[in-house]
Amino acid sequence: MSQPLSKNSGFLKAGFPLLWIILVGIWGGCATALDPVDNAVLAREKFREAVELGSINMREKQIAALKEAIGLAQEDPEYRAHLGGAYLQDGQFEQAEKEFLDILNIDKRYKTAYHFLGQLAMRKQNWEKAVEYFSEELKLPGAVSPHQVYNWLALSYYNLGRIKMAEQEWKNAIHIKDHAGIRLNLALLYKNQEQFARAMESLKKAVVLNPKFHQAHYEIALLYLREKKMNRAITHFERAVRLDPKSTQAEASREYLNLLRQGK
């Protein structure tokens, strides 16, 4: 008959608890960690789940699924980029910034990270950082909507008071794609520098590109008003009102129109 284990048992002296011995008997020889390939497959499944959750605006669950995907594939920047994007959509800007910075620790050439870090820097009015991030993005091939990146870079320079750099970057943007909004920005730069003829030229090109651009019509009206060309000013103030009646430009245009009509 076998003897029960006592305090002097060899196993207990060696510090091997009975529970540990039983578990080894059950699990011994089995793998305890997933194969890296299995991790990658599971991560991709979690990512697909996150995309579906995001499409129905289940943001909290989307974020949780993306975190699981990252846990399974730490070195994949794509999952972190989507997590950063989800945080942005949820208004969690600090968390978004952290994710995009983490991406750059994995891959310094991941242009999406620079893109969103630049936007976050603009939101904080950290114009120096915005210039840094947008400049890095533009150095990399395959930038999405590079004319828009040049536009943001120009705006950042403008807010730093670097007017010549801002002007050049807006010109670079237009060279890639002529855009009414960028033409307006360039016109406002010229206007603030009292280069009124150049401002008018840029605004007229803006309304050729987009005839319904109420902000450009409003700015044209102001320039005509400055030149005392009242009938032309009235025409463009009226267009600003008609094109977007609820805008701040429409409200200001109505005030100008009342004054101009009273003066006739």
Side-chain angles (χ1 to χ4, degrees), residues 66-124:
L66 286 167
K67 285 181 176 179
E68 287 188 61
I70 291 168
L72 292 162
Q74 292 281 339
E75 298 302 309
D76 192 323
E78 181 184 5
Y79 303 146
R80 292 182 187 275
H82 278 81
L83 179 57
Y87 279 134
L88 279 177
Q89 289 179 305
D90 202 44
Q92 299 185 53
F93 301 112
E94 295 301 321
Q95 289 294 332
E97 183 177 30
K98 179 184 179 301
E99 291 303 324
F100 291 121
L101 287 171
D102 284 347
I103 289 171
L104 295 182
N105 289 328
I106 298 169
D107 183 356
K108 290 287 186 186
R109 294 180 59 79
Y110 201 85
K111 60 181 176 292
T112 301
Y114 292 114
H115 186 86
F116 286 109
L117 285 168
Q119 290 189 29
L120 287 164
M122 286 179 67
R123 182 180 176 275
K124 292 181 177 181

Side-chain angles (χ1 to χ4, degrees), residues 176-194:
I176 293 169
K177 182 178 179 180
D178 211 347
H179 187 280
I182 297 170
R183 285 284 181 186
L184 173 63
N185 287 339
L186 185 58
L188 293 174
L189 178 148
Y190 289 139
K191 179 182 174 182
N192 290 335
Q193 296 298 304
E194 298 187 352

Side-chain angles (χ1 to χ4, degrees), residues 110-144:
Y110 201 85
K111 60 181 176 292
T112 301
Y114 292 114
H115 186 86
F116 286 109
L117 285 168
Q119 290 189 29
L120 287 164
M122 286 179 67
R123 182 180 176 275
K124 292 181 177 181
Q125 297 186 12
N126 188 341
W127 305 112
E128 289 283 5
K129 274 292 181 185
V131 165
E132 176 187 334
Y133 290 133
F134 290 135
S135 297
E136 288 298 320
E137 180 184 2
L138 289 166
K139 290 177 186 176
L140 299 171
V144 177

Side-chain angles (χ1 to χ4, degrees), residues 2-264:
S2 61
Q3 296 295 318
L5 289 171
S6 68
K7 291 181 180 179
N8 296 323
S9 163
F11 283 119
L12 295 180
K13 279 184 180 179
F16 294 99
L18 183 59
L19 179 60
W20 188 87
I21 297 166
I22 293 169
L23 286 174
V24 169
I26 296 172
W27 298 107
C30 296
T32 57
L34 286 171
D35 184 275
V37 176
D38 294 332
N39 277 346
V41 171
L42 289 173
R44 182 54 58 176
E45 289 177 358
K46 278 294 172 185
F47 175 68
R48 282 196 292 265
E49 179 185 332
V51 171
E52 291 175 5
L53 290 165
S55 70
I56 54 176
N57 293 319
M58 296 186 70
R59 199 70 62 212
E60 188 175 340
K61 289 185 177 181
Q62 178 195 16
I63 288 170
L66 286 167
K67 285 181 176 179
E68 287 188 61
I70 291 168
L72 292 162
Q74 292 281 339
E75 298 302 309
D76 192 323
E78 181 184 5
Y79 303 146
R80 292 182 187 275
H82 278 81
L83 179 57
Y87 279 134
L88 279 177
Q89 289 179 305
D90 202 44
Q92 299 185 53
F93 301 112
E94 295 301 321
Q95 289 294 332
E97 183 177 30
K98 179 184 179 301
E99 291 303 324
F100 291 121
L101 287 171
D102 284 347
I103 289 171
L104 295 182
N105 289 328
I106 298 169
D107 183 356
K108 290 287 186 186
R109 294 180 59 79
Y110 201 85
K111 60 181 176 292
T112 301
Y114 292 114
H115 186 86
F116 286 109
L117 285 168
Q119 290 189 29
L120 287 164
M122 286 179 67
R123 182 180 176 275
K124 292 181 177 181
Q125 297 186 12
N126 188 341
W127 305 112
E128 289 283 5
K129 274 292 181 185
V131 165
E132 176 187 334
Y133 290 133
F134 290 135
S135 297
E136 288 298 320
E137 180 184 2
L138 289 166
K139 290 177 186 176
L140 299 171
V144 177
S145 300
H147 69 288
Q148 185 61 271
V149 182
Y150 276 112
N151 181 41
W152 293 328
L153 179 58
L155 183 60
S156 301
Y157 277 129
Y158 185 81
N159 280 283
L160 288 168
R162 298 167 70 177
I163 304 303
K164 288 294 182 184
M165 292 295 293
E167 180 184 5
Q168 184 56 55
E169 300 303 352
W170 270 318
K171 286 180 176 179
N172 288 339
I174 290 167
H175 181 72
I176 293 169
K177 182 178 179 180
D178 211 347
H179 187 280
I182 297 170
R183 285 284 181 186
L184 173 63
N185 287 339
L186 185 58
L188 293 174
L189 178 148
Y190 289 139
K191 179 182 174 182
N192 290 335
Q193 296 298 304
E194 298 187 352
Q195 298 180 45
F196 300 113
R198 298 178 79 180
M200 181 66 86
E201 179 186 4
S202 191
L203 287 167
K204 286 182 176 179
K205 288 179 179 177
V207 296
V208 168
L209 290 164
N210 180 5
K212 296 182 179 181
F213 195 11
H214 73 278
Q215 293 153 302
H217 284 290
Y218 174 74
E219 292 295 335
I220 289 172
L222 290 177
L223 289 178
Y224 277 135
L225 192 61
R226 183 184 173 278
E227 296 174 5
K228 302 189 185 305
K229 296 178 179 178
M230 304 309 181
N231 289 334
R232 292 186 181 183
I234 287 171
T235 297
H236 287 279
F237 281 134
E238 287 175 338
R239 287 177 186 171
V241 172
R242 185 173 67 253
L243 290 168
D244 193 346
K246 295 182 180 180
S247 67
T248 56
Q249 289 82 9
E251 183 179 351
S253 293
R254 289 189 192 96
E255 293 179 10
Y256 278 116
L257 286 168
N258 288 334
L259 291 171
L260 289 167
R261 287 163 181 162
Q262 287 171 13
K264 283 193 170 184

